[in-house]
Amino acid sequence: MTTTETHHQEIWQLLPWYVNGTLEGRELDAAKAHLATCEACRDEAARCRDLAAAVQSAPAPAWTPSPAHLARLLARIDAIESPGGRAGGWREWLQSCAAALRESLWSTPPAMRWALAAQGALVVVLAATAIWQAAALYGPGYRTLAGSSEQIAAKRPEVRIVFAEDITEREMRALLDRVKGSIVSGPSTADVYTVRLAADGSAPALDVLRADHKVRLAEPVQSQ
Amino acid sequence: MVGSVGSIAATMMLVSSSSLDDSDPELIRRVAGKDRRAFETLYQRYAGRLHRYLFRLIAQPDVVEEVLDDVMLVVWESAARFNHTSRVSTWIFGIAHFKALKARARLSGRAGEQPVSEDQAGEGEGPEDATLRGELGRVVAQGLKALSPEQRAVVELTFYQGRSYQEIAEITRCPVNTVKTRMFHARRRLAPLLAALGFGPRVASGESRE
């Protein structure tokens, strides 16, 4: 009796997943066999089906992914991926190097530790020197300097644009001419174009784009 | 915005016919290599479902989109760490679940949940079902709100997202028995609502056996 009761309880607990069709193998067989003889569980399965129908028809905001939403998301990804986009990137890198060094040192016989430590220190010094030399060579565009990404963006501003569906090729060209922009990439799967603007005056260009009724969205790349 | 849906569908068709393997695992592999097109395809595939799930858990429309962004950013950043032992969708919903509970905790100080207005309730179905189902849906939506977020998650994942209890355990990071227990309590609380509306065994007794 108790084992039958336990079995009944087990099946009863599984009924929601019997109803949604995800029960498999032995559990599915057991559920089917039990349902054939247990009216209470058949009733409960019916109740679960009603619950499923109710949950499926429960109101939720009608929302579909929009190009504008995706463009904003991509702008955030640009910010992450851009040079210096993640604060403390270099610090994290140095910390992980130091941690790796410490770990390898402590797993080494003591006699070798000092030699390795000295060597490691030398490597770090050399690497740092190389980085600073490169920074000097490549000027403000090099990634180690804070604020460099803004300077790049200011030089060659890029904008993500979603055009209206009914824009013609000619209208698009005329508009891009007006803002002195050229398409860098696009259209993406969500019809997003990346457009590089002229070296100066991205702000008025953005205003022109946003004011145009054939532009659904214009968002500067790499800015928050 | 509505007009753009058609074009999204059109571009999606174009994409699926042009790229041969756009299975979830393959897309994740490409996203791990910082492939934005793969990311966009993944976004088109999951954003709607995730939005619904997040809405069920968070219930504040203005916050849901923001959290959805956070979920997709985690996908972008940690795709390389996905170990391919579980389904991609399970992994992504696991991220969403975690983010939703975090958002709820953050918002718990804020004013109560906003009720969903009727015009926001958009489910495509015939007008004859709509009234009855609409009524049922609204009542159950209220009932769902009375559940704990964890119970609501199990109900939603089972009956809307069609997940197995093992997958739900993975998504919500808890033992399978906890999933069953949460469902048990949710059923107990929702059953009277269904019965009050005339649903339940009395209505369904004519159903054929499987």
Side-chain angles (χ1 to χ4, degrees):
Chain A
M1 181 61 201
T2 32
T3 48
T4 348
E5 180 58 27
T6 314
H7 185 65
H8 168 78
Q9 283 300 331
E10 278 170 7
I11 300 296
W12 196 92
Q13 286 216 319
L14 290 176
L15 287 173
W17 296 284
Y18 170 76
V19 162
N20 85 354
T22 58
L23 226 50
E24 295 179 313
R26 213 179 296 170
E27 281 185 333
L28 178 60
D29 295 341
K32 278 182 179 170
H34 180 74
L35 279 163
T37 59
C38 177
E39 199 184 345
C41 277
R42 280 200 299 278
D43 284 350
E44 181 60 20
R47 226 178 325 228
C48 283
R49 270 186 211 104
D50 290 333
L51 184 54
V55 167
Q56 282 160 26
S57 60
W63 188 92
T64 44
S66 69
H69 181 246
L70 177 60
R72 273 197 299 277
L73 185 57
L74 290 174
R76 283 183 68 184
I77 285 180
D78 286 333
I80 293 170
E81 298 296 327
S82 70
R86 272 280 142 120
W90 276 96
R91 194 172 303 163
E92 275 167 32
W93 181 80
L94 278 175
Q95 274 170 355
S96 68
C97 284
L101 200 63
R102 259 201 312 276
E103 208 171 294
S104 65
L105 274 180
W106 293 125
S107 58
T108 318
M112 282 185 72
R113 262 184 216 160
W114 291 108
L116 276 173
Q119 225 172 21
L122 188 65
V123 168
V124 168
V125 168
L126 284 176
T129 314
I131 287 164
W132 284 111
Q133 276 176 345
L137 255 176
Y138 291 99
Y142 199 72
R143 334 190 135 188
T144 49
L145 298 176
S148 61
S149 62
E150 284 92 331
Q151 282 167 13
I152 295 171
K155 269 186 200 158
R156 313 292 308 269
E158 285 182 3
V159 184
R160 283 193 198 287
I161 304 177
V162 179
F163 295 104
E165 286 89 60
D166 61 339
I167 193 168
T168 63
E169 174 128 20
R170 238 170 104 187
E171 287 171 326
M172 199 190 280
R173 283 193 191 289
L175 183 58
L176 291 179
D177 265 3
R178 256 200 293 158
V179 297
K180 297 196 187 93
S182 54
I183 294 173
V184 183
S185 68
S188 69
T189 45
D191 295 336
V192 181
Y193 288 85
T194 306
V195 169
R196 185 167 295 151
L197 301 173
D200 52 352
S202 71
L206 219 73
D207 289 340
V208 169
L209 286 167
R210 283 175 176 162
D212 197 290
H213 69 288
K214 289 289 170 78
V215 172
R216 285 185 177 281
L217 176 111
E219 291 257 326
V221 175
Q222 285 188 6
S223 64
Q224 309 299 324
Chain B
M1 275 312 111
V2 177
S4 62
V5 175
S7 82
I8 290 174
T11 35
M12 275 181 76
M13 276 169 65
L14 235 163
V15 166
S16 58
S17 61
S18 63
S19 50
L20 284 172
D21 185 7
D22 60 356
S23 66
D24 280 0
E26 176 55 27
L27 286 176
I28 286 292
R29 252 176 232 115
R30 298 218 294 263
V31 170
K34 303 293 175 195
D35 179 339
R36 281 167 207 234
R37 283 189 88 91
F39 179 77
E40 286 184 31
T41 311
L42 209 61
Y43 170 85
Q44 304 290 5
R45 196 170 289 173
Y46 280 98
R49 271 189 280 167
L50 287 172
H51 188 279
R52 161 146 183 149
Y53 184 64
L54 293 171
F55 175 77
R56 278 281 167 265
L57 262 63
I58 301 169
Q60 301 200 24
D62 55 327
V63 182
V64 169
E65 212 166 284
E66 197 183 298
V67 178
L68 174 60
D69 279 6
D70 292 345
V71 173
M72 291 309 293
L73 284 179
V74 172
V75 169
W76 171 262
E77 287 194 289
S78 52
R81 271 174 275 145
F82 176 64
N83 60 17
H84 292 273
T85 50
S86 54
R87 281 168 68 191
V88 171
S89 67
T90 305
W91 178 62
I92 294 179
F93 268 84
I95 296 167
H97 183 80
F98 179 72
K99 287 279 179 190
L101 292 190
K102 252 177 79 174
R104 272 193 71 93
R106 182 162 48 88
L107 294 168
S108 59
R110 260 172 68 166
E113 302 184 339
Q114 297 169 10
V116 179
S117 65
E118 289 179 30
D119 58 319
Q120 281 177 305
E123 298 283 333
E125 55 181 80
E128 68 284 355
D129 289 345
T131 335
L132 186 62
R133 275 182 184 266
E135 176 62 16
L136 178 62
R138 261 191 300 283
V139 171
V140 170
Q142 285 306 315
L144 284 171
K145 280 188 185 174
L147 301 177
S148 74
E150 284 83 5
Q151 291 168 0
R152 228 182 303 170
V154 175
V155 170
E156 179 73 9
L157 288 168
T158 303
F159 292 126
Y160 191 82
Q161 311 278 351
R163 302 297 178 138
S164 68
Y165 66 83
Q166 295 94 334
E167 283 178 314
I168 296 171
E170 214 178 313
I171 288 167
T172 59
R173 295 177 205 189
C174 66
V176 287
N177 278 333
T178 308
V179 173
K180 291 177 190 170
T181 310
R182 284 173 183 166
M183 177 58 98
F184 176 86
H185 290 300
R187 281 154 81 187
R188 276 284 149 91
R189 292 186 78 160
L190 293 172
L193 292 175
L194 292 173
L197 282 167
F199 285 84
R202 192 164 42 78
V203 171
S205 59
E207 271 187 39
S208 61
R209 297 174 185 184
E210 247 101 327

